[in-house]
Amino acid sequence: MSNGPDLVELLDLATDLVVEAGALLAGGVSSVRTDIATKSSATDMVTEMDRASERLLVEGIRSARPDDGVLAEEGTSAPNRSGVRWIIDPLDGTTNYLYGVPAYAVSVAVEVDGIVEVGVVLDAAHGELFSAVRGRGARLDGRLIHTSPTTDLGKALVGTGFGYEAVHRRAQVDVLSGVIGDVRDIRRAGAAAVDLCWVACGRLDAYYEEGIEPWDGAAGLLVAAEAGGRTWVGASPRIGRTITVAANPELFDPLLGLLVRAGAVSQRSG
Ligand code: LIP
């Protein structure tokens, strides 16, 4: 019998904190344009609300579980002395948030011994809470969810996104031009965590994106996988970063094949 942490307790703590952070973000949605800094490029913005949400999440984790590690988008990093590490995006979809586009999320994943066991994503604008515990399915507001039944790539609605650096964006558009003619259509919602949860509940048939960061994808990847999807994070030689792919099981191989053809992936792997 394992002495690992209680995953339901971790899920409950993650859920409480994510909901609190979502309420904090809701309170700041109309006042955020006054304090904007940039990160990797002029298009990569961070607001005081990204930082405030991160503080709230990290303080909550520290007070409940002081020995846990933390990796968070806005720079908090704490060593892991308990085997548990929290991977946090305090506001995924910052650009949407700044413009009032209703697709932004708080994303929290909990890793135990290097494996993500719990994922919680709050689509804060819609108040939709996605969650998953490894081996126990994925849920939207408590109800089990499943990936779409679409079997034909030509009829697939595929989500993607673009990085912040101009050189990467141009390469991503080249890949997109190799994909868009072979699928039903493309969506760019602007928050990778939301995209992955939409694959989980069938609003998207599939999603791929080059260059997202661990905090963007960690929780959503578990939600998508627990909803029956196939997920993969591999190398994207074109931009020297990672590529993240999630799809229902029928579409995963055809999509990966298309991404190989479009030059985003050098060899097939699942
Ligand atoms: C962003 C996303 C978006 C993606 C960007 C970026 P941020 O995260 O989730 O969908 O295309 O590359 O990673 O910066 O808003 O947390």
Side-chain angles (χ1 to χ4, degrees), residues 164-232:
Y164 289 116
E165 289 161 51
V167 64
H168 291 166
R169 290 177 164 196
R170 291 190 187 106
Q172 286 169 321
V173 168
D174 289 346
V175 170
L176 182 61
S177 75
V179 168
I180 196 164
D182 289 57
V183 300
R184 168 166 275 154
D185 209 346
I186 293 289
R187 291 290 177 270
R188 195 288 196 252
V194 173
D195 287 319
L196 286 161
C197 290
W198 285 357
V199 172
C201 69
R203 288 179 194 157
L204 293 174
D205 295 304
Y207 161 79
Y208 77 90
E209 183 168 348
E210 297 162 281
I212 66 168
E213 302 289 348
W215 42 79
D216 296 314
L221 279 165
L222 181 65
V223 174
E226 284 297 320
R230 281 180 69 190
T231 64
W232 180 65

Side-chain angles (χ1 to χ4, degrees), residues 45-79:
M45 294 170 288
V46 57
T47 66
E48 182 45 35
M49 297 309 285
D50 294 70
R51 298 196 190 98
S53 174
E54 184 160 311
R55 270 197 306 276
L56 182 155
L57 293 164
V58 170
E59 277 164 20
I61 293 160
R62 278 192 183 138
S63 82
R65 302 185 50 94
D67 292 333
D68 289 0
V70 173
L71 172 70
E73 177 170 19
E74 304 314 332
T76 310
S77 140

